[in-house]
Amino acid sequence: MRSIWGDVPAKRGAGGLNVKLTNKRHLAEYNILMPIKILSPELASQIAAGEVVERPASVVKELVENSLDAGATSITITIEEAGRRLIEIADDGHGIPTAEVPLAVERHATSKLHSADDLFRIGTLGFRGEALASIGSVARLTLTSRTENADAAVQMLVEGGISAPPQQVGAPRGTVVRVENLFYNVPARLKFLKKDVTERRRIDALLTRYALAYPDVRFKLIQNGQAKLQTSGNGDRRAILATLYGVDVAKQLLEVSALEEGVRLSGFISPTSLTRSNRSEITFFINGRWVQDISLSTALIRAYHTLLMVGRYPLAALFLDLEPASVDVNVHPTKAEVRFRDPNQIFSFVQRSVRKAILAYTPVPQMGISPPALWTEKPARQSGIDLAWQFAGDADSEQLPVNSGPSSVNSEQVVDDTQRSTPDSQFPSIKMPLLRLVGQIGSVYIVAEGPDGLYLIDQHAAHERVLFERLLAQREANSLSSQALLQPEVVQLPPAQATLLEEQLPVLQKFGFEVAPFGPNTFQIRAMPTLFSGSNPAAALRVLVEDFEGDETPLQNKLEERIAARVCKRMAVKGGQTLSSAEQVSLLRDLENCNSPRTCPHGRPTMIHLSVDMLERQFGRTGAR
């Protein structure tokens, strides 16, 4: 009998049947193990490559860092089929000497370390000597390099870990690394790659960050024959920010510059008026190396404490420079994580420096502008909640028992059950009663009277629901009409967001948006749905691509509904917007006609119902009738 542990004799079980021995305990009884042997160089290289080369973006990162270590002032990256078919990095760096080219593709061959002590003061981006060997073991790699004094360049081919003899070719000074058919000999790894749009976005995001970190280097990214990113290399970081995010965003960013005990922090952060729905635009570089450190991100977010709404995050591109001996970069295979010698000092320094920059640019409110204290004081919060005080999303709120007490329900459970709504297609058709307008509170909530009590309606969530159902109904009836803009809007996006938007243009067209590419990472909005006429087209387009891949319960995995919900959220009236009486009445009537009026498209409640029973108990009138 064969098993993964070798020849294993059968063991007699009950009834005389042979029972296979498949666990280590039984095998140990027979002391039968496969012999220990050294792995072949090809297999060892593929195992090592699994730690370094996870996806096409990993290849780009390793090769770009090699180019930066070589002193390149110009780096051109060419990508085809999201890196599966081709990744080419060409630079004008120092090049590799002719005699060292064969050694450069060997494992653990590097010019950046000479002794064990060097590990504790690493000043280069690469140092392990694994990148080229790992890439060559899972792809077809062609290395061409020439130094300034060499008569000709040297070219070497590595395919599946097997190297061919080097040969002389003509080429300018610098190095060109061409990687073709990535993971051709590791089909399992190839199968687990994400969609092309996702892999391209990872490459875009990576190069965007390195372009910010090295403004003196000219970066050019070409994907499938189109230029996606191009920087001038003039050293102006704000100009690069304008290239990535647009001039309007770049002008708003706040500059950070601080120095304390040999640690320097520089870069840019966003003001409190410019935020994102996730942390994807928070970037930290330590000594020129892009790292993903939770403690640094936490320090940045805490610096904005009480200044941002819950669930909103700043944009940041911050660069931390300190002594190489104060940080250990040899703690992760991809060098994406670091360890500080004094993490508390770094955390405190980042938090204080960012907070100081925010407050320096934030205007101090003047006396007399704030509303009277009567309207700013918050009433004491009750420990319990009466069952008669119900979210209108509860289907049976109209049939509550009169004698229910506050101890019979947990307030947190009521909120959670309301937020965990099901998709619209699974909602029962729960109609609202006819409501009579009472007025508006704080320019946020509409107060209305119904036959069964009082309703507090969130005007923003309610308008979201109205727009969402109208948009989907017009799409299903093929009656969506578009309105051409008198002046087309031009919107510039970061490369990663531009790549994502290009994939969704056909879906946007179904909803009445006419958006066309208008240059690298730039789009022109020519028309938008008539339903949203009068709104800001550029703001609507930006909100579509912001955190687009994040699931939004209950619309996850529903692409078109998610797009509709995002647009409606942006176009709906906002909290703090004063509505006329006619506008309030119109919103109530539109909400009454919705199929699911009690929740917004994202599952949050649109209204709270205060029943007559609850009001009578609060005023001590229970049993008075």
Side-chain angles (χ1 to χ4, degrees):
M1 183 184 303
R2 292 289 299 174
S3 76
I4 60 171
W5 295 86
D7 293 318
V8 182
K11 182 178 181 181
R12 288 286 176 179
L17 297 178
N18 291 336
V19 179
K20 292 183 179 179
L21 302 177
T22 57
N23 59 60
K24 294 181 180 180
R25 184 175 61 81
H26 288 165
L27 292 172
E29 293 177 2
Y30 292 89
N31 196 24
I32 300 174
L33 296 172
M34 291 183 66
I36 298 175
K37 58 183 179 180
I38 298 177
L39 295 175
S40 65
E42 293 79 9
L43 182 56
S45 297
Q46 290 185 7
I47 294 174
E51 298 179 346
V52 179
V53 185
E54 298 176 339
R55 53 180 12 103
S58 304
V59 176
V60 176
K61 176 180 181 294
E62 295 292 339
L63 297 181
V64 166
E65 289 182 349
N66 282 347
S67 297
L68 293 171
D69 284 338
T73 59
S74 177
I75 303 176
T76 301
I77 304 97
T78 304
I79 307 294
E80 292 185 10
E81 296 182 10
R84 289 177 172 87
R85 194 172 78 83
L86 174 67
I87 299 173
E88 183 179 273
I89 313 292
D91 66 57
D92 61 351
H94 303 312
I96 304 173
T98 302
E100 298 179 6
V101 170
L103 191 60
V105 297
E106 296 292 332
R107 290 187 63 197
H108 309 305
T110 180
S111 61
K112 302 163 187 176
L113 291 179
H114 301 285
S115 66
D117 293 337
D118 293 340
L119 280 174
F120 301 100
R121 50 174 183 270
I122 296 174
T124 56
L125 298 177
F127 56 88
R128 294 197 181 111
E130 293 180 328
L132 292 178
S134 297
I135 297 169
S137 67
V138 293
R140 177 186 175 92
L141 182 144
T142 304
L143 171 65
T144 306
S145 187
R146 178 184 176 182
T147 59
E148 185 174 6
N149 299 324
D151 296 331
V154 177
Q155 186 175 87
M156 191 165 184
L157 173 65
V158 182
E159 186 170 0
I162 302 175
S163 303
Q167 56 183 353
Q168 290 190 347
V169 295
R173 192 197 78 167
T175 302
V176 179
V177 181
R178 186 179 179 89
V179 181
E180 300 173 279
N181 302 326
L182 183 64
F183 299 134
Y184 78 98
N185 57 348
V186 192
R189 181 67 59 86
L190 187 64
K191 182 177 66 173
F192 282 101
L193 292 180
K194 303 294 184 181
K195 295 180 180 179
D196 282 4
V197 61
T198 303
E199 298 298 341
R200 287 201 302 269
R201 287 188 67 205
R202 290 181 179 272
I203 296 173
D204 292 340
L206 172 75
L207 293 175
T208 295
R209 288 169 167 84
Y210 273 97
L212 281 173
Y214 295 89
D216 296 324
V217 179
R218 294 188 301 272
F219 284 88
K220 184 175 183 180
L221 170 62
I222 302 173
Q223 291 212 30
N224 296 330
Q226 296 182 350
K228 301 292 293 183
L229 171 67
Q230 189 163 359
T231 62
S232 62
N234 62 2
D236 188 353
R237 277 204 178 107
R238 197 177 286 273
I240 297 176
L241 289 169
T243 301
L244 300 177
Y245 297 106
V247 176
D248 293 338
V249 173
K251 286 181 178 179
Q252 298 181 58
L253 295 179
L254 314 178
E255 189 169 0
V256 178
S257 181
L259 177 64
E260 182 180 292
E261 298 181 4
V263 183
R264 177 181 295 278
L265 181 69
S266 60
F268 295 88
I269 58 174
S270 63
T272 56
S273 59
L274 181 62
T275 61
R276 292 292 185 264
S277 61
N278 57 49
R279 309 184 188 205
S280 62
E281 299 295 337
I282 296 177
T283 302
F284 276 94
F285 272 81
I286 299 178
N287 291 344
R289 183 189 310 279
W290 178 32
V291 299
Q292 300 170 36
D293 191 278
I294 296 177
S295 64
L296 292 178
S297 299
T298 303
L300 172 71
I301 294 171
R302 286 193 182 180
Y304 282 85
H305 183 58
T306 71
L307 301 178
L308 297 182
M309 292 178 58
V310 176
R312 304 300 296 180
Y313 301 93
L315 287 79
L318 294 174
F319 309 93
L320 200 62
D321 296 299
L322 64 165
E323 287 294 329
S326 300
V327 56
D328 184 4
V329 301
N330 190 30
V331 296
H332 192 272
T334 61
K335 297 166 287 189
E337 299 177 7
V338 297
R339 187 172 297 151
F340 296 104
R341 184 173 61 186
D342 191 349
N344 293 331
Q345 176 201 357
I346 301 299
F347 184 96
S348 177
F349 172 62
V350 171
Q351 183 179 356
R352 283 186 284 103
S353 301
V354 172
R355 185 75 174 188
K356 183 178 179 181
I358 298 171
L359 297 179
Y361 288 97
T362 302
V364 179
Q366 298 179 0
M367 295 296 295
I369 296 180
S370 301
L374 175 64
W375 301 101
T376 57
E377 293 179 357
K378 296 183 178 180
R381 189 173 183 180
Q382 297 181 357
S383 58
I385 184 170
D386 198 314
L387 267 181
W389 183 302
Q390 287 290 328
F391 285 98
D394 295 339
D396 55 353
S397 60
E398 288 83 6
Q399 292 83 25
L400 293 171
V402 177
N403 59 353
S404 299
S407 61
S408 59
V409 67
N410 186 316
S411 61
E412 295 182 359
Q413 184 177 358
V414 173
V415 176
D416 289 343
D417 291 342
T418 306
Q419 291 178 342
R420 287 195 294 267
S421 302
T422 54
D424 286 345
S425 60
Q426 300 176 11
F427 268 116
S429 181
I430 304 173
K431 292 295 183 180
M432 288 172 51
L434 188 64
L435 301 179
R436 181 180 69 85
L437 176 67
V438 176
Q440 189 180 27
I441 297 179
S443 300
V444 177
Y445 305 105
I446 295 175
V447 184
E449 179 191 5
D452 52 352
L454 201 64
Y455 286 81
L456 298 178
I457 299 170
D458 185 327
Q459 64 186 33
H460 174 68
H463 199 208
E464 269 191 74
R465 166 56 62 183
V466 171
L467 293 177
F468 180 74
E469 292 201 6
R470 281 185 182 176
L471 188 62
L472 293 185
Q474 291 180 8
R475 186 201 62 176
E476 293 175 1
N478 293 323
S479 60
L480 265 175
S481 58
S482 298
Q483 179 177 357
L485 302 181
L486 293 177
Q487 184 69 32
E489 289 270 358
V490 177
V491 179
Q492 188 173 4
L493 299 171
Q497 293 185 354
T499 299
L500 179 61
L501 181 59
E502 287 178 355
E503 298 289 329
Q504 310 304 338
L505 290 182
V507 182
L508 290 179
Q509 190 172 6
K510 294 182 181 179
F511 286 100
F513 288 90
E514 185 179 340
V515 183
F518 196 65
N521 308 321
T522 307
F523 299 86
Q524 188 182 62
I525 309 174
R526 300 171 182 171
M528 63 184 306
T530 308
L531 181 63
F532 302 130
S533 59
S535 302
N536 187 339
L541 188 65
R542 289 183 184 278
V543 79
L544 285 175
V545 296
E546 181 185 326
D547 188 30
F548 189 78
E549 287 189 334
D551 288 337
E552 292 190 37
T553 306
L555 298 175
Q556 56 185 356
N557 302 324
K558 292 190 173 185
L559 178 61
E560 295 188 6
E561 285 81 354
R562 200 164 72 203
I563 289 180
R566 281 188 173 276
V567 176
C568 295
K569 182 175 182 178
R570 181 62 181 82
M571 297 302 185
V573 296
K574 301 295 184 290
Q577 182 175 343
T578 303
L579 303 180
S580 65
S581 297
E583 290 173 330
Q584 296 174 41
V585 172
S586 177
L587 180 57
L588 288 179
R589 298 296 168 259
D590 291 337
L591 189 62
E592 291 168 0
N593 294 327
C594 289
N595 293 324
S596 303
R598 301 173 187 264
T599 61
C600 80
H602 305 104
R604 293 183 290 273
T606 60
M607 63 189 75
I608 293 177
H609 174 217
L610 285 71
S611 71
V612 175
D613 294 332
M614 186 276 290
L615 294 175
E616 287 186 340
R617 284 199 299 275
Q618 294 295 324
F619 283 101
R621 296 178 57 86
T622 303
R625 292 179 299 179

